[in-house]
Amino acid sequence: QATTKRDTLNREITPISAESSQTVDSNEETYAASNARDLDLKTIAAATPGSDSMTWLELTLDQVHCVDQVIWIGSSGSPFITWTCSDTDCSTCEGKYCSFNTVTVRSDGATSGNLPSISSCKYGNRVKLVNNNGDNDIFGVAEMVVTRKEATCKTVDPNLEITVTKDQLPAEHGTEITYQCPQQYFKFKQAACWDGDIKFSGGSPDCSTIG
């Protein structure tokens, strides 16, 4: 069977394993949970209710990450449902069937203590998609994608039209950054790396006065 491989997304996390409530017809060759992480749009992870009467698919990540989004991608390669995480949960959902499915992120046997504190994302190494549409329901997932929120500032948005010296990047979360504005060659101003982006005290670079 020919494969149709998809491109990985920006900041996508590669899961190390996948499991489901129960594989459809116990057919691991065709419907294994691992199909949801193989980058192949033509394979399907299909599940039925397990011993807990729930239908679910769960990915295990390589370590604790601050999860930004969980995306159910269909066989066309387009997002079917997208969940965006906050500090507390991943309940913000965009898609036609949000009311039938939920996503949770939790930490299992791992800790986020060595990671920087980032806002608006959910720390964990286990990501679970649960179907809430009732008993005996079957669902199939072509790809289940998890993206992370990074704390490191790597580049400067060219639309900002500011200069940051190369030795300051990449910068870790919470690090102060000195920048210059066009034609202000001798004025150095302060910003900070925060949640992976360069943040300014006034919301934008202070370049209104030329000097």
Side-chain angles (χ1 to χ4, degrees):
Q1 181 181 4
T3 61
T4 304
K5 292 290 185 179
R6 66 173 180 84
D7 294 328
T8 56
L9 302 183
N10 185 36
R11 298 179 179 177
E12 180 174 340
I13 306 167
T14 301
I16 59 174
S17 64
E19 59 183 311
S20 66
S21 49
Q22 182 171 300
T23 303
V24 168
D25 298 331
S26 298
N27 188 341
E28 293 293 330
E29 183 176 350
T30 304
Y31 300 121
S34 59
N35 289 343
R37 66 180 186 94
D38 64 359
L39 302 178
D40 188 349
L41 296 171
K42 295 303 181 184
T43 61
I44 297 290
T48 58
S51 58
D52 57 359
S53 299
M54 301 294 290
T55 309
W56 52 266
L57 175 66
E58 187 170 49
L59 301 180
T60 298
L61 311 180
D62 60 332
Q63 64 177 52
V64 171
H65 293 271
C66 207
V67 175
D68 183 24
Q69 288 189 319
V70 180
I71 307 167
W72 178 342
I73 292 180
S75 57
S76 67
S78 299
F80 184 58
I81 309 176
T82 300
W83 292 267
T84 300
C85 301
S86 67
D87 297 344
T88 56
D89 59 36
C90 301
S91 59
T92 300
C93 182
E94 181 179 351
K96 188 175 181 180
Y97 298 103
C98 286
S99 60
F100 296 150
N101 303 275
T102 56
V103 160
T104 58
V105 176
R106 64 186 176 93
S107 294
D108 181 17
T111 177
S112 61
N114 62 332
L115 299 175
S117 177
I118 314 174
S119 60
S120 301
C121 54
K122 187 73 170 69
Y123 281 99
N125 66 333
R126 303 289 290 270
V127 181
K128 191 173 188 177
L129 167 60
V130 180
N131 181 272
N132 306 313
N133 202 26
D135 293 341
N136 302 317
D137 200 41
I138 299 174
F139 75 168
V141 179
E143 289 288 295
M144 183 173 168
V145 177
V146 182
T147 65
R148 67 187 181 275
K149 199 164 191 179
E150 290 185 346
T152 304
C153 296
K154 295 182 178 179
T155 60
V156 178
D157 183 347
N159 293 321
L160 294 176
E161 297 183 344
I162 61 173
T163 300
V164 175
T165 56
K166 292 181 179 179
D167 62 308
Q168 296 187 84
L169 298 176
E172 297 301 319
H173 175 80
T175 302
E176 287 192 349
I177 293 173
T178 300
Y179 69 93
Q180 289 179 285
C181 297
Q183 300 182 38
Q184 296 182 345
Y185 304 118
F186 302 105
K187 290 192 175 182
F188 298 91
K189 302 183 179 182
Q190 296 296 318
C193 176
W194 202 261
D195 290 356
D197 294 311
I198 297 177
K199 302 293 185 182
F200 306 90
S201 58
S204 61
D206 180 17
C207 295
S208 58
T209 302
I210 298 178

